[in-house]
Amino acid sequence: MCRCETEGRPALPLAPHETLPRAPAAACGLSGENMAAPRARGCSLAGLLPAQTSLEYALLDAVTQEEKDSLVYQYLQKVDGWEQDLSVPEFPEGLEWLNTEEPLSVYKDLCGKVVILDFFTYCCINCIHLLPDLHTLEHTYSDEDGLLIVGVHSAKFPNEKVLDNIKSAVLRYNITHPVVNDADASLWQELEVSCWPTLVILGPRGNMLFSLIGEGHKDKLFLYTSIALKYYKDRGQIRDNKIEIKLYKDSLPPSPLLFPGKVTVDHVSNRLVIADTGHHRILVVWKNGQIQYSIGGPNPGRKDGIFSESTFNSPQGVAIRNNIIYVADTENHLIRKIDLEAEMVSTVAGIGIQGTDKEGGAPGEEQPISSPWDVVFGMSGSEVRGDDILWIAMAGTHQIWALLLDCGRLPKKNELKKGTCLRFAGSGNEENRNNAYPHKAGFAQPSGLSLAPEDPWSCLFVADSESSTVRTVSLKDGAVKHLVGGERDPMNLFAFGDVDGVGVNARLQHPLGVTWDKKRNLLYVADSYNHKIKAVDPKTKNCTTLAGTGDASNVITSSFTESTFNEPGGLCVGENGQLLYVADTNNHQIKVMDLETKTISVLPVFRPDNAVVDGPFLVEKQKTLPKLPKSAPNIRLSPVAASPGQTLQFKLRLDLPSGTKLTEGVPSCWFLTAEGSWHGVSKTLGKWDAWVAQRLNICLRLRA
């Protein structure tokens, strides 16, 4: 969080993300023919500052809505009467667009519209906080009313410049307006934008009217937009033509999981809990993938009660103990409690509205919180009984919070009542600042937590995504220390990369998840934007790549280093350290890494009455199986004794006669069936195209 202070006038409250370094002023193309609009007198947002600052002062003194409307109307008369417009540059040619049939032009397609340009980067929590305001505005005014919102994606991280990754973010956050991938931040530089998010409101001639920096300006956004529409309608300058929208999400096949954010293990009952974030639900599955409970979804909502009625909104972190699941219900700004025995959902922290409090201390159900991203059970030193605290990665305020599940005491705190929810570490400033005093430390969007309660560690591990670091918080005194990634300058949130190394010499890119392997004394990190899983030795601070090539794809091989991921968001250790479960978010899968055999497989997620599903599928393909000719060979295998949860592997080698060729593009098929009730493998279908003397490795996991 930042505050913009200027000499001689009070500070206007802002909540931006970190700034992107700007090009020199000469880069603002005042004389560039391709970028300058007709009658343009400049393209910098600074040109709006004097007039808009005067308006904002006047609005502070306005009492009634009529007074506010009148002040904005008079402001528009003044700005609209300038001899030359403060015009926005045209979108550069060759940019990639989403959610639209074709590239848009400011001075052709958007002529006659009030346009809101949303400069955002999809990792930014402040940008995420702004989206509900934009969604509400879009439902209030359509393009036929004269309003259009255009997202201008100006990436912070290299990974965010890739169109496919932006597509995934557009789907995750249900963005339905046009989005342009300004990968080189050319429009950002032209307008001299300095913070994520920034909104720029344009008039029907591409003339800049207002700018809003940071989040938390919903009232001003609606006020400025509504009066701008009225002002230009009064002058007959609003066109009611419809902009052709083509939503990317309409082309997606259905999938059992959609952007799963986190996964955790129930070590007692042989189950996994999956935050099926894109489906707005929590899944409790057996370790063979069979769904036991599906709670919430498929649409977002906020409702407690029985399982069939309860709803969530983009849940992330999950923690389970004694048939109780705690959920970081991220976009509802809540901590939810799922009682598997009573089959009920309740709220234990948050009020359902984004909070700005950076101290806390109220009972959980009365305490506003902001975008909780992960939760983990734990304790604080020896002063609180085991697992009587729920630690919370509070991404929205860049802090670590605690929810007391029983009466107890935190380091340097007095006795606290059960249910108290309060800040434990982090000042609330978005920084990479380590400090022996937890309240003076600074985090930058903490997104993953894991606990190592045993000595000599006795700490929380924190995946601090926007500083691209992993940090530790002492359970004994709250001291915050650096482990790997980032750099020593606490204000530099751009020290990212993909480098194995020790401590500050290692480089990560927006890590979202961590999990502690007590058996090996290793910390596993979901290095999300590098599409890798990394291992960190906290004793030596050595960080090495465990799995993933760095390519954002979905290749599964027998080798850790040859397999690929796509923005993995969470992970957990199970089976006494044998397996590592990974929420491979953009591949819509839970991957299972065997840490002993070094093999990777996909957890099939299915309902008891359905065939096994491994990932995105087309419904008609799921229901239609090819009919093999009677001459097709039937190979019967010798009986194998196996138990539920065991993995079986066999190899099939195809040797065709010499000189034989298969026609390219024509598929061949195989079936795998099993006798008895082992329906988890029956009717599994495989295909290959033009394979000659190749080997097929098949890994099967038995279900109970």
Side-chain angles (χ1 to χ4, degrees):
M1 305 290 186
C2 302
R3 284 190 179 272
C4 178
E5 298 187 7
T6 51
E7 186 177 355
R9 52 174 93 93
L12 298 176
L14 304 178
H17 205 66
E18 63 271 22
T19 58
L20 179 68
R22 286 204 306 250
C28 185
L30 302 181
S31 60
E33 294 181 5
N34 293 333
M35 301 302 293
R39 298 176 57 239
R41 67 183 178 98
C43 64
S44 169
L45 293 181
L48 284 175
L49 186 60
Q52 188 173 336
T53 301
S54 297
L55 169 65
E56 306 229 347
Y57 277 121
L59 287 172
L60 292 175
D61 298 327
V63 177
T64 67
Q65 189 61 49
E66 290 77 11
E67 288 177 317
K68 295 177 182 178
D69 292 352
S70 177
L71 286 170
V72 177
Y73 202 92
Q74 293 171 29
Y75 167 87
L76 287 172
Q77 287 177 318
K78 176 181 178 180
V79 172
D80 200 49
W82 284 343
E83 184 177 347
Q84 289 184 321
D85 286 340
L86 191 64
S87 297
V88 72
E90 180 60 275
F91 295 118
E93 293 184 5
L95 297 186
E96 301 166 310
W97 287 79
L98 295 172
N99 287 343
T100 181
E101 293 279 2
E102 57 187 7
L104 299 180
S105 165
V106 173
Y107 297 101
K108 294 179 182 177
D109 307 287
L110 306 186
C111 182
K113 303 287 186 188
V114 171
V115 178
I116 299 175
L117 301 180
D118 173 24
F119 288 86
F120 77 110
T121 184
Y122 73 75
C123 69
C124 168
I125 193 67
N126 308 98
C127 300
I128 296 170
H129 287 165
L130 185 62
L131 290 175
D133 296 347
L134 297 180
H135 289 324
T136 303
L137 193 63
E138 287 176 299
H139 282 95
T140 305
Y141 305 103
S142 69
D143 55 349
E144 294 178 340
D145 295 320
L147 176 69
L148 187 70
I149 298 173
V150 177
V152 184
H153 192 269
S154 310
K156 171 185 175 179
F157 293 99
N159 181 68
E160 294 179 305
K161 297 182 179 183
V162 180
L163 185 66
D164 283 344
N165 299 336
I166 302 173
K167 283 182 182 178
S168 294
V170 164
L171 289 171
R172 279 203 305 273
Y173 301 126
N174 194 31
I175 298 173
T176 57
H177 50 254
V179 173
V180 60
N181 180 17
D182 189 13
D184 295 327
S186 56
L187 198 57
W188 172 294
Q189 302 284 9
E190 289 278 352
L191 295 180
E192 296 185 357
V193 178
S194 60
C195 293
W196 293 284
T198 292
L199 299 180
V200 181
I201 303 178
L202 309 179
R205 302 186 301 273
N207 50 317
M208 291 192 285
L209 304 176
F210 307 94
S211 68
L212 294 170
I213 300 175
E215 60 174 275
H217 303 300
K218 182 178 180 180
D219 291 343
K220 287 182 182 178
L221 174 63
F222 275 71
L223 174 64
Y224 295 167
T225 302
S226 62
I227 300 304
L229 286 169
K230 173 177 170 51
Y231 176 85
Y232 285 108
K233 279 182 180 177
D234 290 346
R235 283 151 182 76
Q237 296 183 30
I238 295 295
R239 293 167 53 187
D240 61 0
N241 62 302
K242 191 168 183 61
I243 303 297
E244 291 300 323
I245 300 295
K246 182 180 180 181
L247 296 181
Y248 171 63
K249 69 178 183 179
D250 292 341
S251 63
L252 274 185
S255 168
L257 297 176
L258 188 65
F259 301 110
K262 303 289 184 183
V263 60
T264 194
V265 174
D266 183 357
H267 296 286
V268 175
S269 64
N270 203 42
R271 295 177 295 186
L272 297 172
V273 182
I274 302 169
D276 189 9
T277 308
H279 285 141
H280 309 285
R281 65 177 179 171
I282 302 300
L283 296 181
V284 181
V285 306
W286 300 108
K287 290 186 181 177
N288 60 1
Q290 178 176 318
I291 297 172
Q292 182 187 21
Y293 296 106
S294 176
I295 310 159
N299 299 314
R302 176 195 154 203
K303 188 175 182 180
D304 290 338
I306 61 176
F307 283 2
S308 60
E309 296 178 354
S310 300
T311 53
F312 301 85
N313 192 348
S314 299
Q316 287 283 346
V318 283
I320 183 170
R321 184 192 65 174
N322 299 332
N323 276 323
I324 300 294
I325 302 171
Y326 288 91
V327 180
D329 193 5
T330 304
E331 295 194 19
N332 275 329
H333 310 288
L334 299 173
I335 301 297
R336 312 289 289 281
K337 176 183 176 182
I338 299 174
D339 188 325
L340 294 179
E341 292 182 355
E343 297 193 0
M344 293 289 292
V345 176
S346 58
T347 296
V348 294
I351 61 174
I353 300 172
Q354 181 192 342
T356 57
D357 185 1
K358 298 179 182 179
E359 297 288 340
E365 62 274 12
E366 300 174 9
Q367 177 62 56
I369 60 177
S370 180
S371 297
W373 210 275
D374 202 7
V375 289
V376 65
F377 289 112
M379 63 198 79
S380 178
S382 59
E383 297 186 29
V384 179
R385 293 189 299 275
D387 284 359
D388 282 345
I389 294 177
L390 187 74
W391 299 107
I392 306 168
M394 203 70 74
T397 55
H398 313 292
Q399 294 171 313
I400 307 301
W401 282 49
L403 175 66
L404 276 290
L405 303 179
D406 205 343
C407 297
R409 187 190 302 269
L410 296 178
K412 304 177 183 178
K413 291 283 186 182
N414 296 324
E415 187 75 14
L416 296 168
K417 293 181 180 180
K418 178 181 178 180
T420 303
C421 187
L422 74 167
R423 179 267 305 266
F424 175 56
S427 64
N429 295 326
E430 189 171 13
E431 299 173 332
N432 176 23
R433 188 178 299 278
N434 302 299
N435 201 291
Y437 296 93
H439 293 178
K440 294 184 178 181
F443 295 93
Q445 208 169 308
S447 302
L449 295 176
S450 189
L451 188 78
E454 65 275 8
D455 287 328
W457 320 114
S458 188
C459 70
L460 273 172
F461 293 105
V462 181
D464 198 37
S465 61
E466 284 298 281
S467 67
S468 295
T469 63
V470 175
R471 324 271 286 283
T472 64
V473 183
S474 171
L475 298 177
K476 296 180 179 179
D477 59 14
V480 177
K481 298 180 180 179
H482 171 269
L483 186 59
V484 294
E487 71 158 46
R488 292 181 176 85
D489 179 359
M491 303 303 294
N492 183 4
L493 302 182
F494 288 79
F496 50 78
D498 184 10
V499 180
D500 290 352
V502 177
V504 76
N505 294 319
R507 284 287 182 265
L508 307 171
Q509 188 182 176
H510 198 77
L512 289 174
V514 284
T515 190
W516 176 242
D517 183 349
K518 182 179 179 180
K519 178 180 178 180
R520 299 173 180 84
N521 282 338
L522 289 176
L523 183 74
Y524 301 115
V525 181
D527 192 3
S528 306
Y529 284 7
N530 283 325
H531 317 289
K532 290 182 175 181
I533 306 302
K534 294 185 176 178
V536 177
D537 182 343
K539 183 176 181 179
T540 64
K541 294 190 174 184
N542 188 38
C543 177
T544 58
T545 297
L546 178 67
T549 66
D551 294 330
S553 60
N554 192 22
V555 176
I556 304 172
T557 71
S558 59
S559 167
F560 275 12
T561 55
E562 293 178 0
S563 295
T564 62
F565 302 87
N566 194 338
E567 293 192 12
L571 66 181
C572 64
V573 175
E575 279 69 33
N576 295 317
Q578 179 183 349
L579 300 181
L580 181 64
Y581 296 94
V582 179
D584 195 5
T585 304
N586 284 2
N587 280 328
H588 316 294
Q589 294 173 334
I590 302 298
K591 288 202 168 87
V592 185
M593 298 174 56
D594 192 315
L595 297 172
E596 295 180 359
T597 65
K598 306 298 182 184
T599 57
I600 299 182
S601 59
V602 175
L603 180 74
V605 176
F606 60 93
R607 293 188 178 278
D609 54 348
N610 287 347
V612 177
V613 177
D614 287 338
F617 64 94
L618 296 175
V619 175
E620 59 271 23
K621 289 187 178 180
Q622 183 69 12
K623 293 180 178 178
T624 304
L625 296 173
K627 191 172 183 179
L628 294 181
K630 293 181 180 180
S631 60
N634 191 330
I635 303 174
R636 190 174 183 86
L637 302 178
S638 301
V640 176
S643 59
Q646 181 178 347
T647 299
L648 300 180
Q649 188 175 34
F650 68 87
K651 296 179 180 180
L652 173 65
R653 182 181 177 92
L654 304 175
D655 291 302
L656 300 180
S658 177
T660 303
K661 294 183 180 180
L662 296 181
T663 305
E664 286 288 342
V666 178
S668 299
C669 301
W670 53 267
F671 286 99
L672 180 63
T673 60
E675 297 177 354
S677 60
W678 189 27
H679 59 277
V681 181
S682 65
K683 294 186 179 179
T684 299
L685 169 67
K687 290 204 273 186
W688 62 88
D689 294 322
W691 274 19
V692 181
Q694 299 244 353
R695 247 182 216 144
L696 178 65
N697 291 311
I698 301 175
C699 209
L700 306 173
R701 181 171 292 276
L702 290 139
R703 73 173 78 163

